């Protein structure tokens, strides 16, 4: 079968999620955790093939990003004290809105509930109007299915203006506050979808798992909701490690946690998940990227903010260079990473026709972010955010620095010194001790940390009143200082060093979501038998690379099987032996389901002349060569990016009678 | 310098922990987490070299164990519901004893406190008697230093019988209950070592971090204290994945958590740590191992139980084969893994003279364990348990199976059927529904899960009273059943299948402790300059393999540097470029501290003839060859186990004037 035929067959295959999930669970790619104890929603274990696939994806990620770009990898703790996440804003803002049904005790996520109920009503309206849903709408229907809160769609016709109102609410559903969601629920009479009973108004539910560190129980901590904070807190050490050179990037791969209110979409919404995050620290005045030229001609599907605001979903397909030129994407570094994310996703098996980059709407974006694009993958659950790529500006370093009084800046030696005019404060330190005693350091630190605006205001206060009055955290009562204690002046100086807080560009990958999407994108059925599922993983990330198949159990074949096993083990190419009695065709079919890209058949000719057959999973093409030639082809195709045709061009085609043998 | 000279120099180097730690922190191998927020004891972040070292150790572990032995790797969640850890015994027993000082609020770990105070008194006694401590005692002194609870040693002479009593208590310190520790504290008047005030009696403090899963706050969970439970719970799926073949092993690499009362020994006692665990499932009647012959001649230092009970610490050095033969080590599989652990530790840089296997004392071992050996590494903190290797018997599968009613057994087809006599119970199911209604399934399950002993007892009860009375969890009141409901009989049957709960051999690795020990074992100072520290990591696990050093900043050298970089990147050999202005000697010295095994110098001859110099870290030997030859040597030595002499035998020796140049 040619490459084109394979593509045709894959395209013609009708996707069936139940069938895929039955394979994924049956072959133990993953399974609900603790299922013999009744399970815990949102928690999954990866079995051997899922675990190997994940390890290969992580390894590919490390090589594609960390090694290729000389990033500084760190491994920070998951346990995080309260103060850190208070400063970062997570304690106050990392929440979803939940509504409780006081009678049944059920808890709903407010935005999902409103969305689902209105979608169900719109669907009922369409049914009542006799409108047949199109293929696109099927995706939405499917999305509803996963949530399983609305059990029944009632065919009730709505007024035209109500339909319009519902649609407008749904378009903005990600942007409502809790109060607004509560108002919508009252206005549209949204209660428990099963009983119809009203619910409590939405309450903020913080999504972090809380715990206590140490035996006193008094040090409150959380499980980290992202790996980013650990990287920010180590900024100064990383900068020093990098010999103070910028720009540079740190990276981290590890588990993060979100206590989802009601997780229901398999691997797509889980409470414990693997993330891979990059924090690229860059000069806010220069966000160009030295390697941008290497990616500028890559064409991608962009869904910018203005298109979405116009209620459209048709992406703009253009080059990364053009996207940055036109200012659709804010800067070169952001554009560079978007392109690199694309290249990575394609490498590990994402279908490029099911990938788009969607810009965050103004109301979705964190208030500090300069720009943010999500790499979204299309699945049977709809378009899923799998990678975020945000410009976080100087926010994180600034808030941590302010809280801890530890400077987090880059010092750049200036070729040409510059004149700078700014407010400065001088303290007569010898007077502070006698007056403030043990509080003196706090008062001094407070004064030295005043911003330019604050210094200007205090200077006026001092001029006006002959003294200033300040309230210092941890110091009882207000502190009064006259001009014997302090001098505040505007001064002009020549500076040889420029000091700045770098901005952060953050590509952030949800590995589990990407893996599940690749499962969907890789899955198809052989046209000759709808029950024969194939997972067409790229060899690089396939859990096992080779299935070793002795033609029979005959003892004469065993030495060759051992010989090939030994070489594969030495070359560190993961493989499995299947010497079960079943037919070769059946053994291959079982491994098509595991995504094993190559089969090596050992027969009686192998015993005589050391030759074996190599079979390619997707095309079922077979070639024959010596053990050494075949293993070289496997290695080149798997690890060195060589195509099948190129890698096997010196090998003889082999025609088999066994492939469709279904005993 | 020859290999022998290097060994002599390393042996002559006086170990200085402060100096090593200053390098490890200064070069950001690791750092206290959240230190700008004041830090949290027991939490550490790994910086770039530590993170790369850790990744290389994990990679070596995966290849040495999982790939080599075809183990089934799984990745299970860290969040674990209460019920699972209640069943495993962790909720009730995974605790240390803590004492609170009600006045100061300080909390002490009881066993450590008793140990430390008695050791301090013994030391004071020695001082009073004018006894000079020997080198061995220095290790203990150092151990005390880390804890920092006892600030001062008072030179007070004790009675001879008190000295003897203290020493006897210290020898058994790991075996006391909380009550016993409390009695010791009263008897020996042990209070807060600073104030002398008495403490509250010891209370059990559970070492698991607790959290709530889901929005209701009612599903209690913990962060896992080990990765083992996830593997046990997936036993049936793993057995099926392995086509029901046994023995087989699962493996898992991931973080676990212990809320230590008072962690103080750097990376050796932390609250969040990376573990690598293997669960090898084996027939309890046959613990032989097919590959035992491959390891039986390996000689190891064993410290068995009886030697320890005799108060000795001199290990028995013998082969693994002899250890199993003599029954010192319980069985072949346990012996096989002990040998494989040894081979792994040596491979990643453990000093084999600082490794021993210590058998658990009877009072240390879990009550269900058949045998347990700890791989201990000698460090400046004393002998540290880094790897456990336990035979957990059938305990875990049995308790989970009993709790969940899910059978976890291996079914072995018997070549010769056997006659088996056992108690059986038959239920007249149609009577259960009418009598017990919704409780019927619970009552039935209870009866079907009775053990042989219980069935025998119930059979007698039934004969005696004409009925049996049982209490079933979750069913109100006692259930009464007469012989219309049940029949209990002893029957003899011919069985063709043997059903058994496999035993588990568990090698369990604390990766962080191993890493820190390798840091200590690898560290030495050059004899010519005590300030020049070297970390002699094996190339396989070194964070970076190559330092690329252009002789100067001259632009003519840049193309060669780029060319070598490109090849190294393509070959995926981690490297760094140091083109800073400082002398070559200084650049090498900086990288000796990072453990970089190879230096490649690019000079003006390189521009003319494509040749470069390769420098070996430990011997500072240099050879010259073409870029291709040098990179081949680096690859062979790093990844293919080739020695320096073998790998460079075709290259020309090169004499440099730069090594001791310290500008």
């Amino acid at each position: 079968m040619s490459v084109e035929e394979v593509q045709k067959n894959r395209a013609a295959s009708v996707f069936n999620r139940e069938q895929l999930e039955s394979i994924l669970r049956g072959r133990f790619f993953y399974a609900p955790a603790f299922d013999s104890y009744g399970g815990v929603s949102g928690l999954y274990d990866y079995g051997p093939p899922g675990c190997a696939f994940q390890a290969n994806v992580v390894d590919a990620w490390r090589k594609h990003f960390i090694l290729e770009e000389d990033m500084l990898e760190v491994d920070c703790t998951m346990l995080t004290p309260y103060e850190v996440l208070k400063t970062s804003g997570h304690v106050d803002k990392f929440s979803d809105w939940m509504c409780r049904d006081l009678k049944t005790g059920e808890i709903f996520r407010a935005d999902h509930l409103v969305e689902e109920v209105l979608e169900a009503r719109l669907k009922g309206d369409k049914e009542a109007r006799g409108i047949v849903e199109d293929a696109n709408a099927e995706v939405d229907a499917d999305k509803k299915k996963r949530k399983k809160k609305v059990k029944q769609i009632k065919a009730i016709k709505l007024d035209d203006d109500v339909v319009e109102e519902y649609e407008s609410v749904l378009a903005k559903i990600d942007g409502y506050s809790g109060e607004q969601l509560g108002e919508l629920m009252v206005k549209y009479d949204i209660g428990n979808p099963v009983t119809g009973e009203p619910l409590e108004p939405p309450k903020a539910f913080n999504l972090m798992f809380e715990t206590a560190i140490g035996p006193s129980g008094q040090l409150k901590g959380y499980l980290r909701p992202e790996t980013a904070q650990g990287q920010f807190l180590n900024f100064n050490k990383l900068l020093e490690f990098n010999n103070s050179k910028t720009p540079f990037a740190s990276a981290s791969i590890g588990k993060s946690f979100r206590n989802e209110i009601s997780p229901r979409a398999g691997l797509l919404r889980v409470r414990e998940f693997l993330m891979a995050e990059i924090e690229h620290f860059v000069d806010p005045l220069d966000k160009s990227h030295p390697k941008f030229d290497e990616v500028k001609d890559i064409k991608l599907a962009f869904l910018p903010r203005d298109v979405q605001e116009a209620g459209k979903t048709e992406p703009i397909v253009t080059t990364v260079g053009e996207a940055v030129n036109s200012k659709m994407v804010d800067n070169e570094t952001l554009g560079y990473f978007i392109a690199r994310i694309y290249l990575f996703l394609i490498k590990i098996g994402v279908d490029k026709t099911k990938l788009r980059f969607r810009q965050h709407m103004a109301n979705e974006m964190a208030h500090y972010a300069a720009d943010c694009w999500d790499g979204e993958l299309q699945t049977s659950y709809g378009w899923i955010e799998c990678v975020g790529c945000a410009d976080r500006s100087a926010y994180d370093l600034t808030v941590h620095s302010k809280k801890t009084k530890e400077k987090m800046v880059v010092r750049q030696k200036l070729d040409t010194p510059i004149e700078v005019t700014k407010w400065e404060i001088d303290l007569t330190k010898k007077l502070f001790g006698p007056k403030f005693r043990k509080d003196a350091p706090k008062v001094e630190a407070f004064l030295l940390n005043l911003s330019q605006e604050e210094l200007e205001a205090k200077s006026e206060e001092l001029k006006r009143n002959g003294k200033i009055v300040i309230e210092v955290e941890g110091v009882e009562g207000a502190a009064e200082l006259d001009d014997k204690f302090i001098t505040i002046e505007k001064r002009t100086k020549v500076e040889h060093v420029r000091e700045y807080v770098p901005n952060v560009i953050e590509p952030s990958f949800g590995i589990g979501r990407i893996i599940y999407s690749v499962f969907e994108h890789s899955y198809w059925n052989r046209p000759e038998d709808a029950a024969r599922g194939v997972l067409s993983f790229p060899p690089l990330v396939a859990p096992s690379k080779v299935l070793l198949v002795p033609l029979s159990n005959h003892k004469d074949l065993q030495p060759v099987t051992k010989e090939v096993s030994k070489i594969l083990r030495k070359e560190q190419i993961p493989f499995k032996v299947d010497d079960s009695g079943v037919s070769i065709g059946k053994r291959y079919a079982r491994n098509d389901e595991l995504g094993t890209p190559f089969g090596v058949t050992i027969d009686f000719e192998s015993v005589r002349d050391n030759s074996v057959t190599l079979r390619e999973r997707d095309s079922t093409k077979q070639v024959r060569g010596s053990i050494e030639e075949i293993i070289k082809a496997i290695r080149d195709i798997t690890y060195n990016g060589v195509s099948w045709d190129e890698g096997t061009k010196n090998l003889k085609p082999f025609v088999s009678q066994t492939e469709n043998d279904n005993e």
Side-chain angles (χ1 to χ4, degrees), chain A residues 559-561 563-564 567 601-613 624-630:
Chain A
V560 187
T561 309
E563 168 71 8
V564 180
I567 302 175
T601 315
I602 291 156
D603 52 29
F604 292 95
E605 218 176 302
S606 312
V607 182
R608 282 191 298 276
D609 69 358
N610 210 34
S611 73
V612 292
T613 304
R624 187 93 186 177
S626 72
I627 294 174
E628 292 67 31
E629 287 169 331
I630 295 294

Side-chain angles (χ1 to χ4, degrees), chain A residues 41-88:
Chain A
S41 36
L43 295 183
Y44 293 89
D45 292 341
Y46 285 88
C51 192
F53 190 85
Q54 178 181 265
N56 295 339
V57 167
V58 166
D59 191 53
W61 192 90
R62 196 173 258 135
K63 283 171 180 154
H64 185 87
F65 291 103
I66 298 184
L67 279 190
E68 187 63 33
E69 315 257 359
D70 267 334
M71 293 176 177
L72 307 181
E73 189 178 351
V74 294
D75 182 16
C76 304
T77 63
M78 300 171 196
L79 288 164
T80 308
Y82 170 88
E83 281 299 335
V84 171
L85 292 160
K86 175 75 184 170
T87 305
S88 69

Side-chain angles (χ1 to χ4, degrees), chain A residues 434-487:
Chain A
K435 176 163 172 144
F436 296 107
R437 307 205 169 256
K438 71 170 182 18
D439 291 334
K442 281 184 200 153
V443 177
E444 288 173 23
F446 179 90
L447 293 168
L448 293 174
N449 272 290
L450 291 173
S451 69
Q452 286 293 302
E453 295 70 34
E454 289 164 334
L455 281 175
E456 187 171 4
K458 288 294 168 198
S459 155
E460 278 164 26
E461 184 182 343
L462 188 61
K463 213 177 289 168
R464 198 168 56 240
N465 306 338
K467 66 176 185 189
I468 67 168
V469 182
I470 55 176
E471 305 253 4
V472 180
E473 206 188 309
V475 176
E476 220 170 304
E480 292 196 359
L481 297 140
D482 63 22
D483 54 13
K484 285 197 292 296
F485 284 81
I486 52 169
T487 317

